[in-house]
Amino acid sequence: MTITKANARPSKDFFVSMLTRDISLEDCILDLIDNSIDAAWKASGERPRTLVVDSALADYEVTIAMSEDAFTIEDNCTGITLDDAANYAFTFGRARGDDPDDYSVGVYGIGMKRAIFKLGSEIEIHSTYAEDDVLTAFKVPIDVPEWLRSDLDPADGSDFAPSWDFDIEEDDPSPHVGVRIHVSQLHPQTQALFGDESYERSLRRILARDYMLPLMRGLRIVLNGTLVEGSTVELKENESFAPMRVKYDDDGVEIEIVAGMLFQPPDDNEPDERKDTLSGWYVACNGRIMLAADRTALTGWGDLTPMWHRQYAGFIGFVFFSAENPLLLPMTTTKRNVDSSSAVYRRARSRMYEPTRAWIDYTNARKNDLQGLKQLETSTTGTSIANVPERPAVSLPTVTKKAATEPVANINYAVPRKQLRALAAAFGDKNMTYRDVGSQSFKYAYDELVDEEDS
Amino acid sequence: MTGSSTSYVNFSVRQNKAIERDRAFRALRALTSTNDDLDYVYVGLGSVWFVDFEIAHRELGIETMISIESDPVVFTRATYNKPYRTVEVIEGTSNEVLPTLLDDRPDLAERPWIVWLDYDKALDTVKVDELRYLIRRLPADSVLLVTFNAAPNRYAGPVDERREAFLELFGDAFPVEPFTTTGKYKDHALVMSALADGLNTLLHSHAGEAARPGGFVRAFDLRYQDGTPMVTAGGCLPSPERAAATSALVAAPGWQGLCPTPITTPPLTVRELQALRALMPCEPPPSRTSVQALGFDLEEDQIAAFAAHYASFPTFVQTAR
């Protein structure tokens, strides 16, 4: 028989102070960009299902401005409707009945809230959306300290039911549909990073890499006034080297694996180590890179294969998972890792083993004919990752041990120079080198005196 | 510093080096007079000339001064030549000596330092590691200045390898944006500016990574050229309570530690110098015609450089080289 109820009420402070500790600032910014890109895919009617260069997202732009004073992200995608804002967009965790959008990466319903709380404490979210072809707008202002205060028990001990809701207010529509999130009163650690010039460059590099796919499809991301250029990857190819590309379906998830040689592997005889931040495996879910240049057991290194070693530099592989239902994808909540317990991922990892193993075997065998293979490697040309044709396995040269060369003997003797010159003249060239006179003499004597069948 | 030109060249006869030093010390004077309750330690690489030590004592009133010298012969000469009783010359390289001073000398470790590492050579990973260490460990309210060779070919001979060399050294702190073509890595002025910016960004970033209370305030960017392009960069490491005042001081118009253009005044004879100085101050700079009217000639940019720095132009210089 129930005596009373144990208080299991969630605390707002948990969401504001604790959840934000599990994620880096750049991953929070990426979470906000993910929302914009999900909206762009939805608005375009296209899907992030394959690697292709086209202009499917060319109408869409995400603009980010960050400084020590404020952070703003704005897009021109669909905007959030008032109904979605009131019922779904601001819930902590995805509300029942709010299924994730098709082919999106927004699954858990915490990304935006966690991101804005991580950034600062004065927040305004504005949305302009089209309702019956008329632009309509609202805004959600959030004063975080004020919102947290309403979580405190009143001093008089009266019945307490803290409100988790945010007010939605009328606002003037922007000239186009879209969402604008403005955060001020930045937290000190956010201010410190936004005031660091190298942080912007680092973030730009991450955006170029992690949004490589939507950028290939025409999306524009503008960071502090400058367009982000997507990373380009070219795999090396010639008659001996060719990258692989396979596609298959697994339990509602479409999987595409592309792998091959990015650059010539290092020559172990060279003492200076090339700085290599590119080699390894990349894992993407619905168009977003979750794991980059991975060389850990997550992608098989040191588990299915030997541990990563500098010898293997030059290998690159991409695995693209896409699914209409993003819950089927091997994503984590931070989108900076993969769920290695996912059966779909584990099965993909065993397919990833094949090109990894082939590359390891090639680099092991390479020393048997280093010079010849280096020549082959340098004669390759680059093929954009989007243009790699379907091929079931990577092509790499078959390395055979050089045939043992016949034992040789060196002859070294002195003769009077006058006689050597005379013999050189007799051979038809008085300026012939000493070495050539010796070789010709040996050949002459050999031809005269030795029966080939006896040799 | 074995092999360093500081061991045999007295920098006081290089007029642009002298101007750079004068500006740096005017900035330091502004800072130390604001913080007149602090008892600074001056740490440098004094060689046998101790030019900066003389100024640190005379102008800033600093008594505790430490000069680090790695060359055994120069160390003996430096010990002989030290200008004041309170200058201590320590034998060793700066990356060996500085940690021992910070770890083993509580008399120093509890006071703010003004450290000026005039490397003379190009930056490399060892020097950058040393600077990172200092950013982490220098006492609150210290100042760090670094002078280094900014000739692009000292970082990579082939032009097409320079971008990678700079990125290897500075990472994301190096501003690649102005280098729109590979050829721009040959441009001395552009590379000097980028190296100063890159180093200051790296120091600022490292202070942030190390969660240094009070952070790093970028306070020095002085580029000069008497022949080889050189850069002096650095900043202040204020305590949290002095951080706002330090930032305001550095941002004020009179702060001499930041100079937007390289210091490249021409070598002048005493007669030319006296004649030109008689035209100062003059804004805009005197025209070429008015200089020609004095009886000699200079290029427009040489006149502009002189007009910008005449107040710091050394009077004892007859020729620069």
Side-chain angles (χ1 to χ4, degrees), chain A residues 284-316:
Chain A
C285 291
N286 277 350
R288 155 83 128 85
I289 303 279
M290 306 276 162
L291 208 54
D294 186 80
R295 303 156 190 185
T296 71
L298 266 179
T299 51
W301 296 101
D303 184 0
L304 303 174
T305 69
M307 299 268 279
W308 171 266
H309 182 269
R310 182 176 162 253
Q311 173 187 320
Y312 310 137
F315 170 84
I316 195 165

Coordinates of all heavy atoms in Angstrom, one line a residue, chain A residues 284-316:
Chain A
A284 N 30.0 8.9 -41.1 CA 28.9 10.0 -41.2 C 27.6 9.3 -41.0 O 27.3 8.2 -41.4 CB 29.0 10.6 -42.6
C285 N 26.7 10.1 -40.4 CA 25.3 9.6 -40.3 C 24.4 10.7 -40.9 O 24.4 11.9 -40.5 CB 24.9 9.4 -38.8 SG 25.7 8.0 -38.1
N286 N 23.5 10.3 -41.8 CA 22.7 11.3 -42.5 C 23.4 12.6 -42.9 O 22.9 13.7 -42.7 CB 21.4 11.6 -41.7 CG 20.4 10.5 -41.9 OD1 20.5 9.6 -42.8 ND2 19.3 10.5 -41.1
G287 N 24.6 12.4 -43.5 CA 25.3 13.5 -44.1 C 26.2 14.2 -43.1 O 26.9 15.1 -43.5
R288 N 26.2 13.9 -41.8 CA 27.0 14.6 -40.9 C 28.2 13.7 -40.4 O 27.9 12.6 -39.9 CB 26.1 15.1 -39.7 CG 26.9 15.3 -38.4 CD 27.5 16.6 -38.3 NE 27.1 17.2 -37.0 CZ 27.7 17.0 -35.9 NH1 28.8 16.2 -35.8 NH2 27.2 17.6 -34.8
I289 N 29.4 14.2 -40.5 CA 30.6 13.4 -40.1 C 30.5 13.4 -38.5 O 30.5 14.4 -37.9 CB 31.9 14.1 -40.5 CG1 32.0 14.2 -42.1 CG2 33.1 13.3 -40.0 CD1 32.4 13.0 -42.8
M290 N 30.5 12.2 -38.0 CA 30.5 12.0 -36.5 C 31.9 11.7 -36.0 O 32.2 12.1 -34.9 CB 29.6 10.8 -36.2 CG 28.2 10.9 -36.7 SD 27.1 11.9 -35.7 CE 25.8 12.3 -36.8
L291 N 32.7 11.0 -36.8 CA 34.0 10.6 -36.3 C 34.9 10.9 -37.5 O 34.6 10.6 -38.7 CB 33.9 9.1 -36.1 CG 34.8 8.4 -35.2 CD1 34.7 9.0 -33.8 CD2 34.4 6.9 -35.1
A292 N 36.1 11.6 -37.2 CA 37.0 12.0 -38.3 C 38.4 11.5 -38.0 O 38.8 11.5 -36.9 CB 37.0 13.5 -38.4
A293 N 39.0 11.0 -39.1 CA 40.4 10.5 -39.0 C 40.6 9.6 -37.8 O 41.6 9.7 -37.1 CB 41.4 11.7 -38.9
D294 N 39.7 8.7 -37.7 CA 39.8 7.8 -36.5 C 40.7 6.7 -36.7 O 40.8 6.0 -37.8 CB 38.4 7.2 -36.2 CG 38.4 6.4 -34.9 OD1 38.4 7.1 -33.8 OD2 38.6 5.2 -34.9
R295 N 41.6 6.4 -35.7 CA 42.6 5.3 -35.8 C 42.5 4.5 -34.6 O 43.5 4.0 -34.1 CB 44.0 6.0 -36.0 CG 44.1 6.9 -37.1 CD 45.2 7.9 -36.9 NE 45.1 8.9 -38.0 CZ 46.0 9.9 -38.1 NH1 47.1 9.9 -37.3 NH2 45.9 10.8 -39.0
T296 N 41.3 4.3 -34.0 CA 41.1 3.6 -32.8 C 40.3 2.3 -33.0 O 39.9 2.0 -34.1 CB 40.4 4.4 -31.7 OG1 39.0 4.5 -32.2 CG2 41.0 5.8 -31.6
A297 N 40.1 1.6 -31.9 CA 39.4 0.3 -32.0 C 38.0 0.6 -32.5 O 37.3 -0.4 -33.0 CB 39.4 -0.4 -30.7
L298 N 37.5 1.8 -32.3 CA 36.1 2.1 -32.8 C 35.9 1.7 -34.3 O 34.9 1.3 -34.7 CB 35.8 3.6 -32.6 CG 35.1 4.0 -31.4 CD1 34.9 5.5 -31.4 CD2 33.8 3.4 -31.2
T299 N 37.0 2.0 -35.1 CA 36.9 1.7 -36.5 C 37.8 0.5 -36.8 O 38.1 0.3 -38.0 CB 37.3 2.9 -37.3 OG1 38.6 3.4 -36.8 CG2 36.3 4.0 -37.2
G300 N 38.1 -0.3 -35.8 CA 38.8 -1.5 -36.1 C 40.3 -1.6 -35.8 O 40.9 -2.6 -35.6
W301 N 40.9 -0.4 -35.7 CA 42.4 -0.4 -35.6 C 42.7 -0.9 -34.2 O 42.2 -0.4 -33.2 CB 42.9 1.1 -35.7 CG 42.8 1.6 -37.1 CD1 41.8 2.5 -37.5 CD2 43.6 1.4 -38.2 NE1 42.0 2.8 -38.8 CE2 43.1 2.2 -39.3 CE3 44.7 0.6 -38.5 CZ2 43.6 2.2 -40.5 CZ3 45.2 0.6 -39.7 CH2 44.7 1.3 -40.8
G302 N 43.7 -1.8 -34.1 CA 44.1 -2.3 -32.8 C 43.1 -3.3 -32.2 O 43.2 -3.8 -31.1
D303 N 42.0 -3.6 -33.0 CA 41.0 -4.6 -32.5 C 40.9 -5.7 -33.6 O 41.4 -6.8 -33.4 CB 39.7 -3.9 -32.4 CG 38.6 -4.7 -31.8 OD1 38.9 -5.9 -31.6 OD2 37.5 -4.3 -31.6
L304 N 40.4 -5.3 -34.7 CA 40.4 -6.3 -35.8 C 41.7 -6.4 -36.5 O 42.0 -7.3 -37.2 CB 39.3 -5.9 -36.8 CG 37.9 -5.7 -36.3 CD1 36.9 -5.2 -37.3 CD2 37.3 -7.1 -35.8
T305 N 42.5 -5.3 -36.5 CA 43.8 -5.2 -37.2 C 44.8 -4.8 -36.2 O 44.5 -4.5 -35.0 CB 43.7 -4.1 -38.3 OG1 43.6 -2.8 -37.6 CG2 42.5 -4.3 -39.2
P306 N 46.1 -4.7 -36.6 CA 47.1 -4.2 -35.7 C 46.8 -2.7 -35.3 O 46.0 -2.1 -36.0 CB 48.4 -4.2 -36.5 CG 48.2 -5.2 -37.5 CD 46.7 -5.2 -37.8
M307 N 47.3 -2.3 -34.2 CA 47.2 -0.9 -33.8 C 47.6 0.1 -34.9 O 48.5 -0.3 -35.7 CB 48.0 -0.6 -32.5 CG 47.7 -1.4 -31.3 SD 46.4 -0.6 -30.3 CE 47.5 0.5 -29.4
W308 N 47.1 1.2 -34.9 CA 47.5 2.2 -35.9 C 49.0 2.5 -35.8 O 49.5 2.6 -34.6 CB 46.7 3.6 -35.8 CG 47.3 4.6 -36.6 CD1 48.3 5.6 -36.2 CD2 47.0 4.9 -38.0 NE1 48.5 6.4 -37.3 CE2 47.8 6.0 -38.4 CE3 46.2 4.3 -38.9 CZ2 47.8 6.5 -39.7 CZ3 46.1 4.8 -40.2 CH2 46.9 5.9 -40.6
H309 N 49.7 2.6 -36.9 CA 51.1 2.9 -36.9 C 51.4 3.9 -38.0 O 50.6 3.9 -39.0 CB 51.9 1.6 -37.0 CG 53.4 1.8 -37.0 ND1 54.1 2.0 -38.1 CD2 54.2 1.8 -35.9 CE1 55.4 2.2 -37.7 NE2 55.5 2.0 -36.4
R310 N 52.4 4.7 -37.9 CA 52.7 5.7 -38.9 C 52.9 5.0 -40.3 O 52.6 5.7 -41.3 CB 54.0 6.4 -38.5 CG 54.4 7.4 -39.4 CD 55.7 8.2 -38.9 NE 56.3 8.9 -40.1 CZ 57.4 8.5 -40.6 NH1 58.1 7.4 -40.2 NH2 57.9 9.1 -41.7
Q311 N 53.3 3.8 -40.3 CA 53.4 3.1 -41.6 C 52.1 3.1 -42.4 O 52.2 3.1 -43.6 CB 53.9 1.6 -41.3 CG 53.9 0.7 -42.5 CD 54.1 -0.7 -42.1 OE1 54.9 -1.0 -41.2 NE2 53.4 -1.7 -42.8
Y312 N 51.0 3.2 -41.7 CA 49.7 3.0 -42.4 C 49.2 4.4 -42.9 O 48.1 4.5 -43.5 CB 48.7 2.4 -41.5 CG 49.2 1.1 -40.9 CD1 48.9 0.8 -39.5 CD2 49.9 0.2 -41.6 CE1 49.4 -0.3 -38.9 CE2 50.4 -1.0 -41.0 CZ 50.1 -1.3 -39.7 OH 50.5 -2.4 -39.1
A313 N 49.9 5.5 -42.6 CA 49.5 6.8 -43.0 C 49.2 6.8 -44.5 O 49.9 6.1 -45.3 CB 50.5 7.9 -42.7
G314 N 48.3 7.5 -45.0 CA 47.9 7.6 -46.4 C 46.6 6.9 -46.7 O 46.0 7.1 -47.8
F315 N 46.2 6.1 -45.7 CA 44.9 5.4 -45.9 C 43.7 6.3 -45.5 O 43.8 6.9 -44.4 CB 44.9 4.1 -45.1 CG 43.5 3.4 -45.1 CD1 43.1 2.6 -46.1 CD2 42.6 3.7 -44.0 CE1 41.8 2.0 -46.1 CE2 41.4 3.1 -44.0 CZ 41.0 2.3 -45.0
I316 N 42.7 6.3 -46.3 CA 41.5 7.0 -45.8 C 40.3 6.2 -46.2 O 40.2 5.6 -47.3 CB 41.4 8.5 -46.4 CG1 40.4 9.3 -45.7 CG2 41.1 8.4 -47.9 CD1 40.6 10.8 -46.0

